[in-house]
Amino acid sequence: MKVIIQLPCFNEAGTLPDTLKDLPRQLPGVDTVEWLIIDDGSSDQTAQVANENGVDHVIRHTANQGLAKAFMTGLNACLERNADIIVNTDADNQYVADDIPKLIAPILAHEAEMVIGARPISDIEHFSPVKRRLQRFGSAVVRWVSGTDIVDAPSGFRAFSRDAAMRLNVFSNYTYTLETIIQAGHKNISVVSVPIRTNPPTRSSRLMRSMPQYLMRSFEVIVRIFATYRPFRFFMLLGVFPFLSGSLLGLRFLVHYLMGQGTGMIQSLILAALLIGSALLMWALAFLADLISVNRKLHEQSVYLLRKMSFDARGGSGKDGERGA
């Protein structure tokens, strides 16, 4: 049983030594523990610091590609190196490394394929009341869209079984946290949360530069993934509002027409026709998108089987080195 702990990094030379110092080299029920760094085009000495601190594998992007791409590079690199369980954590030492045994325990016990560490949001002092409420609201939305019971959706402290890692494909350039949960829910990957602890912050968040920007990007990810994995429901819901609005306007025109006052209500009739036509178009798209989603599912299954054959055939022969943008 091999566990590889991966850390996506971008200019983390200052925080990396403290983070690595706390990472375990032995875990209960595990034969081998290795560390893997994804240097996402850093301009500082991140890769050198990683090597100096005993990191087993250092993968480098020649240019910065963003957190989501770095995460997927790490996932694939861990699979190439024959990882049975992949643990993802942050390089800024946000999460307490001593909680890694709790994180992998459900996978070792075959109770889950993906485990997400739930931070004590109410007790994190540097989280403002607004941020705490938004974290809870965002997690609730992700639970609804994904059909999972995840407590802390934005948490980056998580573990994946080998099979679950092969099934995930992140398309966002922003973050992997929400997308992987929604994918897991729609691919029937069993997901659980475990309570974890956090360390005091070592730097400001690079992902959340401002609350409005973070909310907008997160909303964009949720809507796009919902449209991808629930296209029929998505387009049917989009058609409900214009259909109801158009029907009400049409009924208003009909009432006035029967009362002999329909002459001045032609605008309502035209608008009603446009709204109902838009609704019918959305519902037609729902059926087309649902048919397309069948092909997507078949394609994803083919990709999974290809990845499984490719990674299992390599048997840990992956080489460290640079990966282009």
Side-chain angles (χ1 to χ4, degrees), residues 238-252:
L238 283 184
V240 169
F241 178 74
F243 180 79
L244 291 177
S245 300
S247 297
L248 290 174
L249 284 172
L251 182 62
R252 177 171 177 266

Side-chain angles (χ1 to χ4, degrees), residues 3-10 12 15-24 27 33-40 46 55 67-68 70-72 74-75 78 85-101 103-104 115-119 154-160 175-177 196-199 202-203 206:
V3 170
I4 298 183
I5 305 172
Q6 71 167 38
L7 299 88
C9 297
F10 178 63
E12 297 287 4
T15 60
L16 197 53
D18 288 336
T19 304
L20 295 174
K21 179 182 64 178
D22 293 339
L23 292 184
L27 290 168
V33 178
E34 296 178 357
W35 303 344
L36 184 143
I37 292 292
I38 309 97
D39 181 0
D40 190 25
T46 293
V55 172
L67 179 59
F71 169 80
M72 279 307 299
L75 221 59
C78 291
I85 298 176
I86 301 167
V87 173
N88 185 85
T89 188
D90 287 357
D92 63 356
N93 206 29
Q94 175 184 175
Y95 306 106
V96 176
D98 287 344
D99 287 336
I100 290 179
L103 202 65
I104 66 173
V115 184
I116 298 177
R119 296 167 293 179
S155 171
F157 195 43
R158 47 184 70 188
F160 307 87
T175 179
Y176 61 88
T177 55
I196 56 148
R197 296 163 292 170
T198 59
N199 292 313
T202 56
R203 58 165 174 76
R206 293 171 181 166

Side-chain angles (χ1 to χ4, degrees), residues 227-275:
T228 300
Y229 287 93
R230 292 285 183 90
F232 186 81
R233 181 179 297 183
F234 178 78
F235 287 105
M236 289 294 286
L237 288 174
L238 283 184
V240 169
F241 178 74
F243 180 79
L244 291 177
S245 300
S247 297
L248 290 174
L249 284 172
L251 182 62
R252 177 171 177 266
F253 170 81
L254 182 61
V255 169
H256 283 81
Y257 178 79
L258 293 176
M259 295 173 60
Q261 301 174 2
T263 305
M265 306 297 295
I266 298 300
Q267 297 90 336
S268 296
L269 182 62
I270 294 173
L271 183 57
L274 290 173
L275 289 170

Side-chain angles (χ1 to χ4, degrees), residues 95-127:
Y95 306 106
V96 176
D98 287 344
D99 287 336
I100 290 179
K102 294 170 57 179
L103 202 65
I104 66 173
I107 298 177
L108 290 173
H110 304 288
E111 297 172 352
E113 300 170 273
M114 178 174 167
V115 184
I116 298 177
R119 296 167 293 179
I121 301 297
S122 300
D123 300 329
I124 300 179
E125 295 181 358
H126 65 277
F127 276 17

Side-chain angles (χ1 to χ4, degrees), residues 143-310:
R143 283 196 296 273
W144 174 70
V145 174
S146 65
T148 64
D149 295 323
I150 294 307
V151 177
D152 185 8
S155 171
F157 195 43
R158 47 184 70 188
F160 307 87
S161 70
R162 181 175 180 82
D163 191 73
M166 289 185 187
R167 293 182 181 276
L168 296 174
N169 296 284
V170 177
F171 306 107
S172 171
N173 292 323
Y174 183 56
T175 179
Y176 61 88
T177 55
L178 308 183
E179 187 168 350
T180 49
I181 295 172
I182 297 171
Q183 279 193 31
H186 292 295
K187 293 181 178 181
N188 294 319
I189 297 172
S190 54
V191 189
V192 298
S193 292
V194 296
I196 56 148
R197 296 163 292 170
T198 59
N199 292 313
T202 56
R203 58 165 174 76
S204 58
S205 173
R206 293 171 181 166
L207 190 65
M208 189 184 296
R209 296 178 181 176
S210 69
M211 188 61 69
Q213 181 251 12
Y214 177 76
L215 290 173
M216 185 61 65
R217 297 295 296 271
S218 299
F219 177 76
E220 176 188 331
V221 169
I222 292 171
V223 170
R224 184 171 55 81
I225 298 302
F226 186 52
T228 300
Y229 287 93
R230 292 285 183 90
F232 186 81
R233 181 179 297 183
F234 178 78
F235 287 105
M236 289 294 286
L237 288 174
L238 283 184
V240 169
F241 178 74
F243 180 79
L244 291 177
S245 300
S247 297
L248 290 174
L249 284 172
L251 182 62
R252 177 171 177 266
F253 170 81
L254 182 61
V255 169
H256 283 81
Y257 178 79
L258 293 176
M259 295 173 60
Q261 301 174 2
T263 305
M265 306 297 295
I266 298 300
Q267 297 90 336
S268 296
L269 182 62
I270 294 173
L271 183 57
L274 290 173
L275 289 170
I276 293 175
S278 298
L280 294 176
L281 177 61
M282 288 296 175
W283 291 342
L285 287 174
F287 284 96
L288 291 175
D290 193 53
L291 293 174
I292 293 172
S293 72
V294 174
N295 287 328
R296 176 189 53 75
K297 292 175 183 177
L298 292 173
H299 178 68
E300 286 185 342
Q301 182 66 15
S302 299
V303 170
Y304 164 70
L305 292 174
L306 286 172
R307 295 178 80 188
K308 185 174 178 62
M309 288 188 293
S310 174

